[in-house]
Amino acid sequence: MANPPQPNVGYSNNPSYSSESSTSLSEKTPIPPPLISPKFPPPTFQQDQTAISPSIRSPPNVLSSSNGVKSGSPISHLSTPPGPPVFTSPVRPAAVPFRASPVTPQPLAFSSGSSIPTSSPPQFSNGLVDFPHQGVPEDSAHVGEAPFVLFSAHKVLKQKKQANVPSLGFGALISPGKEISPGPQIIQRDPHRCQSCGAYANIYCSVLLGSGQWQCIICRKLNGSEGEYIAPSKEDLLNFPELASTMVDYVQTGNKRPGFVPVSDSRTSAPIVLVIDECLDEPHLQHLQSSLHAFVDSLPPTTRIGIVLYGRTVSVYDFSEELVASADVLPGEKSPSQESLKGLIYGTGIYLSPMHASLPVAHAIFSSLRPYKLNVAEASRDRCLGTAVEVALAIIQGPSAEISRGVIKRSGGNSRIIVCAGGPNTYGPGSVPHSFSHPNYPHMEKLALKWMENLGQEAHRHNTVVDILCAGTCPVRIPVLQPLAKASGGVLVLHDDFGEAFGVNLQRAATRAAGSHGLLEIRCSDDILITQVVGPGEEAHVDTHETFKNDTSLCIQMLSVEETQSFSLSMETKGDIKSDYVFFQFAIQYSNVYQADISRVITVRLPVVTSVSAYLQSVQDEVAAVLIAKRTLLRAKNYSDAIDMRKTIDERIKDIALKFGSQVPKSKLYRFSKEISLLPELLFHLRRGPLLGSIVGHEDERSVLRNLFLNASFDLSLRMIAPRCLVHREGGTFEELPAYDLAMQSDAAVVLDHGTDVFIWLGAELAADEGKSAAALAACRTLAEELTEQRFPAPRILAFKEGSSQARYFVSRLIPAHRDPPYEQEARFPQLRSLTIEQRTKLKSSFIHFDDPSLCEWLRSLKVVPPEPS
């Protein structure tokens, strides 16, 4: 029987998909001659997977760092977060789309095998035909380690009342654009699909050998295969990749598509336009120039680049002038007229040029930039950012914009506009007044938000992603700029200055792989209901995908297809489940950067169990924590909401202990289930960290982190929730310890990776020895760079000594376990046992006592007995 129609899902938009988110002709102006400026590395879709040498040791009681899946464990609707978001810990080699330096694009990899274990499909009998098994192995303990999909549990409870406990919840994280090695099976032909519901033939389908008919796992209907699946034995069916692997890619290359025009290097054919704020003071400008020089030096020679500056006017630089930096200038107070754009685009200037032909000109342009001269406060300077992005979009569309109306132009991936902003948009369309005290500010801000969102949607329609990289001390009015990045599928990132971190993010933004025309279809067994989707997309219109008469799939239009992003799905069961398995199928259709049309199909089967203990043993604490955090952050739109969400975390812990724990004899306390012992610690980090806690001072910064988190991949999301603590040992090795303040030992150097920030802390005793401290600092910095070389956005890396004022950033992110009694400290932080009595006494005396509770104190305040460390 076909699935009943899915009810309207809550979409949280780009960052997350949710129901709550709901002039004159140009004139040539010569620019002063160039000044010599000093010359000062990207994600593909698997963050945090960088190899870290064999020197990291991880004790058994620390957070699992592999794939978010416990070793040895088996395997809504849309809520879009703000900003972008991989699937493995830094201790393993990374296969991320961000590289630290430009790399020659590699051809699409063809793989002969799948990395995902498979399971045997059930045998069906409808009274007419008996379907033979396909010979796939029994459900393996590693079903949940599929690199594209991570479930919060590898089993599903049979009874609805037990399964639908909202405090723990059930769901999955999907990374549609994730690239892995070995990759999925490649099939260069059309897929076999169910004519009733649209599901794809897969490893769990039963096949009638004599006729080649196969039974759909979703709606149970029989389908023909045009004789293709007729086989003498079930072993012969394994020659079809879709019947032998849980994950396959159907690939159609360009020569099968009408109107395809070959490109010498399609990976880099999509242009990049830099839109640069020219209202900067000299110190900021010098840093920006260094970052820009390094940026163009890092680009592949075939990359086409454009350069646009904005202040009160918009300057579009012309690459046809080789000896002097020159630009066409357009007024900034209103959107450019069609006549102005025609005069620009059909003129003699060259505004997009490959790097191999224009590198010296680009350097000359950057060197010619001058600091802002007028005596006007940073926040009050006229900046026509909106007009500048409109002009950049027109340049990318080029002269063919008119004649191509109604025709989809297929470039290699998305084009990119990268805005380098040092202040708010205060002039022209989409602008807000300089001062918040302006009597009409709220109304003008509302108009600006809508205008920016419309501009982002226009960019998305033309396959152009707008990334906004902000830097400096001037507030940039994040709420106004965020809709532009979000609606286009881009990201907004804040930086302290235009220096190293900004330069790295500039390069990674430009080189991360981005597919286009993405559509995600989700089909699942009748028993499963999707209640919410959070991620960078929006509900797809009915006419954007193939229709089948009983197709009840949930369809999501992806704003871009990038490895750094993911969608989180919340699910429930509709009633008691009568079958032994439930099935999930995810189909991702997109055009990749090599101009190939991909249909990636991932099929997952989870066993149904009656035992609550068996279910809890299959729960993946880290995946469950990330899903809970995304649902929580979706509602934390401001600081007041964040405080309320901390209380919901408390209630959630109490309810999980009540529903799945056990009551302590002769007490009102409940003991937290040992099977999910890691979950309270992860949620405690969430509650007091930068996403919900009081660590972040400015609401703009909190908003950016929230938007980034809601779209982030699993790896980055996990690190943003719970920091990873690595302590330097003699010999250059690192030991992974729990992120407790007990790691702050005076003779140690500690690296704390918190996703968007990495801190290096040097103990006072170590810092006093110049030779040792220099070696330890160098080793820690190298480790920090290795951990984050594939991450986007690139984090800040800050180093400081014990007792310094900056050390508070580090201390505030560690659990204050020094407040616990010694026996609990040793149970949760076994490394203490290796310290002498003198060292223990010295460590104890180094702590400054404050009111923040430890993990154990917090749990006891909720009438919950802390679980034993795993």
Side-chain angles (χ1 to χ4, degrees), residues 53 106 110 333 550 577:
S53 81
Q106 298 300 313
F110 284 71
E333 75 273 7
N550 294 312
I577 302 174

Side-chain angles (χ1 to χ4, degrees), residues 42-47 49 85-87 95-98 174-180 512-513 560-566 713 790:
T44 279
F45 234 75
Q46 290 153 286
Q47 287 167 338
Q49 302 178 30
V86 302
F87 264 66
V96 188
F98 294 98
I174 310 166
S175 283
K178 184 178 179 63
E179 296 300 334
I180 58 158
R512 71 186 192 272
S560 62
V561 186
E562 302 185 14
E563 187 159 5
T564 52
Q565 299 174 341
S566 72
S713 63
Q790 311 277 4

Side-chain angles (χ1 to χ4, degrees), residues 176 460 518-520 536-537 556-561 567 588-590:
H460 175 62
L519 185 72
L520 170 62
I556 303 165
Q557 188 73 49
M558 293 183 283
L559 298 176
S560 62
V561 186
F567 290 89
I588 304 106
Q589 301 170 25
Y590 68 100

